[in-house]
Every structure is written in C-alpha cells, then in structure tokens.
Amino acid sequence: MKIFQKGFNYSQDGDGNRLVYHMQGCNLKCPWCANPEGMKCEGTIVSDPEWILESICPHGAIKDKKVDRTVCAGCKKHECITEHDTKGMYLSYQDYTVDEIVEEVLNNEMMFYDGGGVTFTGGEVTMQFEELFETLEKLKEHGINTAIETNGTHIRTKELFPYIDQLIMDCKLCDPKKHLKYTGGPNEEILKNIRKAAKEHPYFHVRVPLIGGVNDSEEDLEAFIRFFQEINGENVTFEVLSYHEFGKKKWEDCGWKYCMTRDAYVEQEVVKHFLQMIKDAGLKYKRT
C-alpha cells in the first residue's frame, strides 16, 4: 500500500479518535485539492525549502532553495531521492504491506476511544482497491471500527460496504458537464454509488466541498437539495465544507501552480443560505 500521510485525528474523519491513512493516487484532478501530493499514483517528488540542499542534485536543479522543475522533468535517475535521504526532497509516499498496516492498527487499538478506529482516505482510496479490500477485511476480523472517505467513482465501491462501519463520500456537483469540467472526471458512477450507499449502508455521510464559482450558484444549491431529498434516510447525514487554501503551499512544494484565486472563497451568506436550505428540506446535518 502506498501511504503518503498518516496520523491521528479526532472526529474529523469519522467518529471518535481515529488513525487516518492517506492513500496515494487519485483519478480526479480537482484544482482546490488540499492534498495534491497524493494525486499521482506513481507519487510526486516534494520539496521543502526549509531543509533543501543544493548538493543533492547533480544536475543543478536546486538554487537558492528553489527547484527548477524543468530540469527535473528530464531527470531519469532522481538522485535527490535515490541517493539521498533528506527532508528537503522526498517521494510523497512510503510503501507498506497490508499486514504491516494491520499490525500498526492493532498496536494502536487502545487509542480508538469515543467510538474511534481507523480511516482510509486519500488521494482516492479505491485507486488501490485490492489492497484496501484486503486490509478492511482483516481489520473487521479483529473488530476494528473502520471508515473510508471516497470520491465514489469506483464501480466496485459497493463491495466494500460490509467491511466499512462509516462511509464518507463527496458530492461535488450534480451537473455532469460541470463535474467533468472542474474535476476532470464524470459523475455518473458517483451518483449511482451515493444512491446505493443511501439505500444499503447503515452509516452514510455525504460531504459537499463548496467552492466559489464552481458549485455555489443558486442553481447548483437547488440541484444538491433535490438530489439529497431523493436519497434522504435515517442512515444518511450531510455536511458542507467551505473552500480553504490550506493546500496552496503543497501545490508549490510539488512544483505545480496553484490556480485557485480568492474568488473561490464562498461568502458566508451563501453558506448560511445553503445550510438553511438543508434544514428546511428535512435533511440531517452533521458537522465533523
């Protein structure tokens, strides 16, 4: 399993205190992503200006604590990470076996208080579907509370349901053309999986990442409400997460341009209006 980040969070990625694994690779390309280092399945070489050293690159790509990524693009050996082990340049992920992950989880079981457990997120967890499936299966054998956060695109998502105690899924846009435009992928399978989960999973949480100029128009908000009323049930909760630029520096550390502007911030009046629409529609809101 390729993991690019791991650590404990309380009640942000499922109930209680949870050990959270961020899995490498994503099939969507949302420009507001807070974890861009997790996008590429093959990983990304990340730089940290605070620790970077010119001496680790024999091709002269590093000068004044900055990396010339045009030099990196033609590099075959990547000596900065293959011959050096520093915090200045490093591959975004580390490899673990399924058994190593399971052992680590079991060793931390005493920390899963207040209904906690383990959560797999990303990137997109289903990009490593077989490894995820095996891990969840083994964790359930040990009675560990499990959760995943997913974009809902994988055609086999339903197969994971029996091994997930808490299922968290994004709903970024209902309009298929706009979804393709802004995320780089279709939403047909996503909406199918959301409908399946609402019918079949006992603990289903739907999140809307609200992005200014992307999905915060009145038309978009009304489309969300219509869809959410369709899937509503006692097992379904909803949440709105407003845009932030916490990932901006990470984009720069990956050598990529952060294209979001301040227009992506959503006016508080719009957020309050959407929350009121959710309440008026009789939908169950849950803040994490």
Side-chain angles (χ1 to χ4, degrees), residues 108 229 284:
N108 283 278
Q229 286 179 311
K284 191 188 305 182

Side-chain angles (χ1 to χ4, degrees), residues 17-65:
N17 201 45
R18 310 192 72 82
L19 179 54
V20 182
Y21 291 96
H22 289 257
M23 299 177 67
Q24 186 74 35
C26 187
N27 55 334
L28 298 181
K29 298 294 178 279
C30 307
W32 57 84
C33 182
N35 295 309
E37 73 275 32
M39 282 184 170
K40 291 186 176 181
C41 292
E42 68 274 21
T44 298
I45 297 178
V46 183
S47 66
D48 186 339
E50 184 178 353
W51 297 97
I52 202 164
L53 300 171
E54 293 185 10
S55 59
I56 65 174
C57 178
H59 311 290
I62 305 171
K63 290 183 180 179
D64 299 324
K65 295 190 175 293

Side-chain angles (χ1 to χ4, degrees), residues 224-268:
F224 281 129
I225 295 299
R226 286 195 300 272
F227 180 52
F228 293 166
Q229 286 179 311
E230 175 191 337
I231 66 168
N232 192 29
E234 285 299 315
N235 59 318
V236 187
T237 53
F238 302 89
E239 184 176 22
V240 178
L241 303 177
S242 295
Y243 168 79
H244 59 73
E245 58 175 27
F246 297 161
K248 181 177 180 179
K249 185 180 183 299
K250 290 185 178 183
W251 281 79
E252 296 165 354
D253 290 346
C254 291
W256 304 326
K257 182 181 179 181
Y258 188 70
C259 296
M260 303 302 292
T261 68
R262 296 199 64 81
D263 291 339
Y265 283 99
V266 183
E267 296 291 338
Q268 279 304 303

Side-chain angles (χ1 to χ4, degrees), residues 59-207:
H59 311 290
I62 305 171
K63 290 183 180 179
D64 299 324
K65 295 190 175 293
K66 295 182 179 179
V67 183
D68 185 347
R69 294 284 181 164
T70 61
V71 176
C72 300
C75 184
K76 302 297 183 183
K77 294 185 178 180
H78 303 299
E79 292 94 339
C80 60
I81 61 171
T82 57
E83 297 183 9
H84 301 272
D85 183 11
T86 76
K87 291 190 284 187
M89 293 285 281
Y90 56 92
L91 186 62
S92 55
Y93 72 86
Q94 291 183 302
D95 279 314
Y96 297 86
T97 66
V98 168
D99 287 339
E100 285 173 336
I101 295 294
V102 171
E103 182 180 5
E104 184 172 58
V105 170
L106 295 179
N107 288 339
N108 283 278
E109 188 173 1
M110 67 185 71
M111 298 294 293
F112 302 155
Y113 52 84
D114 292 344
V118 61
T119 298
F120 295 95
T121 182
E124 169 49 38
V125 293
T126 57
M127 296 298 288
Q128 301 181 59
F129 189 90
E130 298 300 337
E131 294 86 349
L132 175 66
F133 189 100
E134 183 181 353
T135 306
L136 290 170
E137 194 175 31
K138 288 187 175 183
L139 290 175
K140 291 313 297 176
E141 290 175 0
H142 290 280
I144 300 296
N145 184 283
T146 59
I148 71 166
E149 295 179 342
T150 176
N151 62 27
T153 56
H154 203 288
I155 195 170
R156 295 175 61 191
T157 299
K158 181 182 174 181
E159 295 177 34
L160 300 173
F161 289 179
Y163 307 101
I164 304 167
D165 292 296
Q166 302 176 48
L167 175 59
I168 304 168
M169 200 177 296
D170 270 4
C171 185
K172 297 178 175 68
L173 279 155
C174 294
D175 184 284
K177 291 183 180 179
K178 291 183 71 173
H179 194 280
L180 182 61
K181 175 183 176 181
Y182 289 111
T183 73
N187 69 346
E188 181 181 0
E189 195 64 35
I190 296 172
L191 300 183
K192 284 182 181 179
N193 280 325
I194 289 176
R195 289 186 175 98
K196 289 176 185 176
K199 286 182 178 179
E200 302 176 24
H201 199 277
Y203 192 121
F204 182 42
H205 188 56
V206 181
R207 283 176 170 167

